[in-house]
Amino acid sequence: RYTFASIAAELAEVLPVRRRLVIVGHSLGGVIALELAGGRYDVQVDRVIALGVKVSWTDEELAKAAALAQKPVAWFGSREEAAARYLKVSGLQGLVDPADESVDHGLLEVDGRWRLAMDPATFGVGAPKMAELLAASEADVVLARGELDPMNTDAELAALHDQVVTLPGLGHSAHVQDPSALRDVTSP
């Protein structure tokens, strides 16, 4: 069973640096960054950039995520098939070449069959309690989004926090579309 806290605890254990961290987290990673910034994991997070975090969830969206979490792992006969699925699921289709070696980080090969590295059960984490995470944060926090990101709006983010940055012309995977767009966001 996955929770934001259990994922953050696992990540904290393998962080090579435990002091004065700046964490840029995308989507679920943004929630994990905020969780780490709450001071419960023996890490000192100075700054969090939470990019593309979905902050408003309907009952229907939560039910769909819970259903996805119950699905068994899908296996593919080739790396190419698995890579295509990975890019679609991760929102990187059309942004990253399926043959790029970075795609390998999202895949596992076992006995000649391929699957996504992500456990489908991670979809079951539920909706983050953003107001609580922001209130508990010991770090400077920026909520960022691509202007074209359908996962959130400027108004939703501004209702939660006073440091909101919108990256013009970019979507949910703004950090992939234009990594340089985050340059000004990551520097205090």
Side-chain angles (χ1 to χ4, degrees):
R1 187 169 183 281
Y2 293 96
T3 65
F4 300 116
S6 69
I7 296 169
E10 290 289 324
L11 180 57
E13 290 298 318
V14 299
L15 286 173
V17 176
R18 303 184 71 76
R19 298 282 176 241
R20 304 193 51 84
L21 297 170
V22 174
I23 303 176
V24 179
H26 173 251
S27 202
L28 171 60
V31 177
I32 302 308
L34 288 168
E35 180 71 34
L36 286 168
R40 296 188 310 254
Y41 301 94
D42 191 31
V43 295
Q44 179 189 343
V45 181
D46 288 346
R47 187 164 170 87
V48 168
I49 311 301
L51 171 66
V53 174
K54 182 169 178 56
V55 298
S56 296
W57 291 80
T58 65
D59 289 341
E60 182 181 322
E61 290 167 333
L62 289 168
K64 183 178 178 181
L68 287 171
Q70 298 302 313
K71 287 192 168 199
V73 169
W75 290 94
F76 301 90
S78 69
R79 182 200 177 281
E80 292 75 23
E81 291 173 284
R85 180 68 180 152
Y86 166 72
L87 293 174
K88 181 176 181 179
V89 167
S90 62
L92 298 173
Q93 191 174 30
L95 297 175
V96 177
D97 185 323
D100 190 285
E101 67 182 39
S102 67
V103 173
D104 293 336
H105 296 286
L107 305 176
L108 288 175
E109 185 266 331
V110 178
D111 298 328
R113 296 187 316 156
W114 293 84
R115 59 165 278 195
L116 305 191
M118 184 186 97
D119 182 345
T122 58
F123 285 113
V125 294
K129 295 179 179 176
M130 289 296 291
E132 291 176 24
L133 289 168
L134 289 163
S137 177
E138 297 175 357
D140 177 50
V141 175
V142 174
L143 299 179
R145 67 179 295 271
E147 176 186 28
L148 306 176
D149 188 347
M151 298 288 221
N152 51 44
T153 67
D154 289 337
E156 289 171 339
L157 298 184
L160 288 167
H161 193 57
D162 60 349
Q163 289 191 72
V164 174
V165 173
T166 300
L167 304 171
L170 300 175
H172 184 64
S173 296
H175 60 298
V176 176
Q177 288 176 280
D178 183 4
S180 68
L182 288 176
R183 186 175 301 122
D184 293 336
V185 181
T186 56
S187 302

